[in-house]
Amino acid sequence: MQKWEYVTVPLLVHATKQILDNWGEDGWELVQVVPGPNPDQLVAYMKRAKS
């Protein structure tokens, strides 16, 4: 059975693509984006297969 590890990542609205691309290069897959604690921030939930 596949096992996963998860991480939450703060996203800045003006750099969202760059941040997600960096995590994606490390094998992380975006699961969901939700509003953060203030209007200028979002929070991304990411997962990747555990090795």
Side-chain angles (χ1 to χ4, degrees), residues 23-47:
W23 282 87
E25 287 178 9
D26 288 337
W28 291 95
E29 178 182 344
L30 179 64
V31 176
Q32 183 176 14
V33 175
V34 298
N38 63 56
D40 294 332
Q41 195 173 34
L42 300 169
V43 176
Y45 286 82
M46 316 280 283
K47 72 174 186 177

Side-chain angles (χ1 to χ4, degrees), residues 2-48:
Q2 179 67 59
K3 295 191 180 203
W4 302 94
E5 59 182 326
Y6 298 90
V7 66
T8 55
V9 180
L11 299 174
L12 302 174
V13 174
H14 65 276
T16 301
K17 182 182 180 325
Q18 181 182 0
I19 294 168
L20 292 175
D21 284 348
N22 286 341
W23 282 87
E25 287 178 9
D26 288 337
W28 291 95
E29 178 182 344
L30 179 64
V31 176
Q32 183 176 14
V33 175
V34 298
N38 63 56
D40 294 332
Q41 195 173 34
L42 300 169
V43 176
Y45 286 82
M46 316 280 283
K47 72 174 186 177
R48 72 175 171 188

